[in-house]
Amino acid sequence: MAHYLIIGSGLIGRLTAWRLLHAGHQVTILSSDDFRGTDSAGYVAAAMVAPYAEAVTEGRHLRDLASESLAIWDRWLDALPEPVFFPRCGTAVVAHDSDNVEFERYYQRAMHTLTPSDFQYLTGHAMRDKLPALADHFSRAIWFDDEGCLDNRQLFRSLTAFLKVRADWRRISPVEHLDAATLDHLCQTTLNKKRDDFTLVIDCRGNGSRADIASLRSVRGEVIRVHAPAVSISHCVRLLHPRYPLYLVPRPNQHYVIGATIIETADRSPVSVRSAMELFSALYTIDTGFAEARIVEMQAHCRPAMPDHLPLIQQQPWGVQLNGFYRHGYLLAPIMIERLLAQLASSNKVGRDANYT
């Protein structure tokens, strides 16, 4: 039985620990976050699993990888101790008539990147039949069937319940720089162990690894959660705009998440008045029923990104780094973690996966 030490307990750290435990290994977790994961980007995120909608802007290679992840999620969620909301609700990409240029650009990218069976172009009666809640405000849409969204809070709760019982989970001060000496000190002072007592150290600190991964950068996401009993949108919506592309994601009991995803900054201060006004304005233009919605939460966080927007598995003298998921944490976590575990099981040298260079 192998014994793995995981640094970080965000989405990637939790899922990696869970899968290692599920495979019969021992796991120790060291993290500066609380058990709920409230300081994690994955705790704030909208948790869309949208292989096709994302591939339009990121490329066909992402579609193929993310499609594998979508299938893995079905299997993984069945193995969790508690149910997690994961509707295959589909994604509608829309734009107001004043932003037709953005819509046409997206449509042309879809035509170039995807195959005709990956999406539908909706207008007129087809728009009203498929997307009646949007038809009064938008004249056309690009529809991606079978995409989904997770309730990330339910997922974190389920993982927490499992890991608190099965893993040795310790809370520590933030680790700003990770090397052999730091790990030796952590193992000795926190665990009364030696680093060599662990089969491998896996660094899952996300933005916390910026001092150790030179090309890692932060991408801020601002998210508002609302309760809107007057709204009946059951699918994901992406609203195109030249300055702030937005998304709307359903949650159980007529709760919704709306946010902007690609603000290039490491700033984690609260949501600004300007951003809040833009998000609320966008909500109202999607469905006027949001006018009487109640604000549940406003939060901002930063996602770790590499220059190519793709995650990495990278070997270091002291262990392995699993990082750089950008806004694709929920989209690509399953395939990346399964690849890492396959490498560990076969005892192959762990390095940056050739498919991501």
Side-chain angles (χ1 to χ4, degrees):
M1 179 190 298
H3 190 173
Y4 293 93
L5 174 60
I6 294 178
I7 313 296
S9 63
L11 173 68
I12 306 304
R14 286 169 190 251
L15 286 173
T16 303
W18 171 56
R19 296 313 298 169
L20 286 168
L21 288 164
H22 199 267
H25 303 299
Q26 288 183 278
V27 172
T28 296
I29 303 170
L30 298 180
S31 173
S32 61
D33 201 356
D34 57 29
F35 287 127
R36 291 176 59 203
T38 55
D39 196 40
S40 163
Y43 187 85
V44 176
M48 291 176 288
V49 185
Y52 306 103
E54 283 294 324
V56 173
T57 54
E58 298 296 335
R60 190 184 180 95
H61 56 287
L62 182 74
R63 184 204 72 166
D64 297 336
L65 292 166
S67 296
E68 292 185 60
S69 271
L70 187 62
I72 295 169
W73 270 124
D74 289 330
R75 173 164 45 86
W76 278 14
L77 294 178
D78 285 342
L80 280 170
E82 300 175 13
V84 174
F85 177 79
F86 184 41
R88 294 294 190 86
C89 52
T91 302
V93 178
V94 296
H96 295 294
D97 290 341
S98 58
D99 297 320
N100 272 339
V101 171
E102 296 300 317
F103 188 92
E104 283 297 330
R105 183 181 292 118
Y106 189 92
Y107 176 60
Q108 292 302 320
R109 285 176 178 169
M111 292 286 289
H112 177 74
T113 305
L114 305 177
T115 61
S117 61
D118 289 335
F119 67 96
Q120 296 174 262
Y121 182 95
L122 303 178
T123 188
H125 292 299
M127 178 77 178
R128 291 195 170 276
D129 291 343
K130 178 74 75 172
L131 305 170
L134 299 179
D136 289 340
H137 301 278
F138 303 96
S139 60
R140 55 184 177 169
I142 298 172
W143 173 253
F144 299 96
D145 204 8
D146 201 37
E147 296 192 329
C149 57
L150 284 155
D151 187 326
N152 54 330
R153 302 293 171 82
Q154 288 182 354
L155 177 66
F156 267 60
R157 285 195 297 270
S158 186
L159 290 170
T160 297
F162 182 89
L163 295 174
K164 286 181 71 174
V165 174
R166 299 283 298 277
D168 181 8
W169 192 346
R170 312 286 185 92
R171 193 170 187 184
I172 60 172
S173 299
V175 178
E176 296 183 2
H177 175 59
L178 196 60
D179 56 17
T182 301
L183 282 167
D184 289 339
H185 178 74
L186 278 173
C187 291
Q188 179 62 45
T189 59
T190 305
L191 303 170
N192 196 27
K193 291 180 178 289
K194 297 179 181 179
R195 178 163 50 99
D196 290 344
D197 292 334
F198 296 98
T199 307
L200 187 72
V201 177
I202 305 174
D203 178 15
C204 301
R205 288 176 295 147
N207 275 293
S209 296
R210 279 184 297 160
D212 299 320
I213 304 176
S215 53
L216 195 70
R217 74 186 199 280
S218 295
V219 180
R220 176 179 168 100
E222 297 178 330
V223 171
I224 296 176
R225 293 170 179 262
V226 299
H227 180 218
V231 176
S232 58
I233 296 175
S234 58
H235 48 77
C236 299
V237 179
R238 292 175 184 245
L239 177 62
L240 301 176
H241 186 278
R243 194 170 67 81
Y244 50 89
L246 303 171
Y247 56 80
L248 174 71
V249 183
R251 288 290 187 265
N253 303 316
Q254 292 177 291
H255 284 73
Y256 295 88
V257 176
I258 185 170
T261 60
I262 49 174
I263 304 170
E264 294 278 346
T265 178
D267 177 19
R268 281 195 55 192
S269 61
V271 177
S272 69
V273 171
R274 177 180 180 177
S275 293
M277 290 175 64
E278 289 174 345
L279 291 173
F280 287 132
S281 175
L283 271 178
Y284 186 76
T285 64
I286 292 172
D287 191 309
T288 55
F290 281 113
E292 295 302 318
R294 296 299 182 256
I295 302 169
V296 177
E297 180 181 295
M298 289 195 291
Q299 281 193 297
H301 212 295
C302 293
R303 298 162 176 84
M306 300 299 293
D308 59 5
H309 293 170
L310 293 173
L312 59 79
I313 300 171
Q314 183 166 277
Q315 188 169 21
Q316 296 293 345
W318 44 261
V320 172
Q321 293 166 324
L322 182 56
N323 210 320
F325 282 82
Y326 185 46
R327 64 186 186 195
H328 305 137
Y330 287 89
L331 190 62
L332 295 181
I335 186 63
M336 290 298 293
I337 292 171
E338 291 227 332
R339 288 186 176 190
L340 173 61
L341 268 59
Q343 289 176 330
L344 298 178
S346 64
S347 299
N348 289 337
K349 181 179 179 181
V350 177
R352 176 150 181 157
D353 192 300
N355 289 323
Y356 290 86
T357 58

